[in-house]
Amino acid sequence: MRAASSRIGAVAIAALIGAVLGLPQAAFAGPEDPSQIEEFNSRVAAPADTEPGATAHSEVTPAPADPQLLRGGSGEQFSPLGGGLRGCITIGHAVDLKGRAGIIAPSEQIADLPVPEWCLDLGVTETYYADRSSICGILSGEFVVEETSSSGGPGAIIGSMNFNIYHYVQLLSDMTVFYNKLSVSPSYAWGAAVGTEISATATCWSPCDLMSASFPVQVPALHARAEGEAYAEWDPVPGESAYVPTVFWDISFRAQIGPNTAATGAYAPGMRCDDMFSHMQPGCVVPWVTPSIEYDAATLPEFAAHVYQAQLSGLAGSRTLDTGPLTRLTDETLRDLNRAEACPASYPRPSGKSCDEYPFASTWEGALFAQEPQTYSWCQIELPAVAPPHPRNYSVCMIDALENSYAGSLLEAVLYRPKRVLEWDPFYVEVIF
């Protein structure tokens, strides 16, 4: 890993974040095996695998308020520029007196911005958002050059620059390498801030290892970009998962009239990497984004009808119906007990049918942990007593056996493994008609 420079400002914030998190830092020694980076890029460019009958989805979600998700560089930071000048950088400066901060570049100039379309649609939010496999934030800022008064305090402002920071992190669920892209785009500049040089250095704390990083000195025109990128990785440990910090960027601004730089930082929320799945490569996801599996009712009509009717009665699992998520259960013994409680052998199985339970046996909301069974007139199950609807009940139904088996395999193949849904992870189940 390459350590940040010794400048006061973002470097102090970087050190503070590392200290708060208790993360050791090492020196960046240069690129490792380039084939890992090539493999990462080829996988990102490859079309996603699909399975007929179900797809996985994740809502774009704002970063939670968490001390581990600090954004470096927020607020005002002052740095001596030399020659009787100082620089002030403010991040999160969405509106100033000129109304020029936080301006997104014209559409013809942002078409090739290396961020997801959903991130551009959100615009300047001053925070980070994510789906299950990527993190993105557009932050606004201002760099002010001012004279230093005889008392050492602020003097006359002789130049300023408004800019946006576009910060993007891309993950893969079957690889522990991740990509970090940073772009700084001026939207307005005057006086001594015209022609400001922008550069950045990257830092990563254990268990994140920096593989390569580059953000050389650049002087971008208005609505153009100074940009750099970094690749980092997590060294997997079989059977374990870990919170992995993303790359911290120490961003430097140097006005043409001063020898020194002012600095701020950009630090996206972290991720979770794990090596918990047998017969699957380790990988990384954004754990605070709750994924969904969406079942196609045309492909799985009986299964979909049962799930949908169960959710309509108030059982958990539907984001659309606002019934709250399900949570994953991985213990095989408890899963078997869930199945035995929901679908005892005493229930007759009509020809071609099998017993389906909802919530699934692979959840902590399953029958073993629920209250009473419920069913429906078309389900071909006679219960000893009819339980009134309750959100902590469970539902049982005889449905087409092939559908039932296939729906269960899709849960594993489409959701649990590719979205790396671990023990107690929340998720949603939706039916698409």
Side-chain angles (χ1 to χ4, degrees), residues 175-377:
M175 197 171 182
T176 57
V177 173
F178 57 95
Y179 175 71
N180 200 299
K181 181 74 175 184
L182 182 73
S183 302
V184 182
S185 177
S187 57
Y188 173 76
W190 69 275
V194 174
T196 292
E197 296 178 350
I198 302 173
S199 61
T201 57
T203 304
C204 216
W205 292 281
S206 178
C208 162
D209 291 323
L210 199 60
M211 302 170 68
S212 68
S214 176
F215 195 130
V217 174
Q218 298 158 70
V219 183
L222 294 184
H223 298 303
R225 302 188 301 276
E227 41 188 23
E229 63 182 13
Y231 290 87
E233 66 176 338
W234 173 66
D235 188 15
V237 180
E240 292 190 10
S241 66
Y243 172 85
V244 180
T246 57
V247 170
F248 178 90
W249 286 102
D250 172 21
I251 311 170
S252 299
F253 295 78
R254 191 182 78 82
Q256 293 296 323
I257 60 173
N260 300 327
T261 61
T264 188
Y267 180 57
M271 67 203 75
R272 184 187 68 198
C273 299
D274 76 85
D275 191 3
M276 302 284 287
F277 290 86
S278 60
H279 311 296
M280 183 178 177
Q281 293 295 319
C284 304
V285 294
V286 181
W288 38 272
V289 174
T290 302
S292 301
I293 184 169
E294 298 178 343
Y295 284 104
D296 176 25
T299 304
L300 301 163
E302 293 186 17
F303 171 81
H306 177 218
V307 169
Y308 188 65
Q309 193 155 358
Q311 291 178 341
L312 281 176
S313 75
L315 301 191
S318 173
R319 191 194 304 268
T320 303
L321 299 173
D322 196 25
T323 60
L326 299 174
T327 47
R328 191 176 182 203
L329 169 65
T330 59
D331 184 276
E332 281 294 342
T333 299
L334 293 178
R335 291 166 69 161
D336 288 344
L337 290 172
N338 265 343
R339 293 187 186 96
E341 180 71 20
C343 294
S346 59
Y347 288 170
R349 270 67 168 173
S351 177
K353 304 287 186 179
S354 65
C355 182
D356 180 44
E357 76 273 19
Y358 185 88
F360 307 135
S362 57
T363 70
W364 283 98
E365 291 72 31
L368 184 66
F369 310 99
Q371 291 189 5
E372 301 293 335
Q374 63 186 50
T375 189
Y376 314 101
S377 60

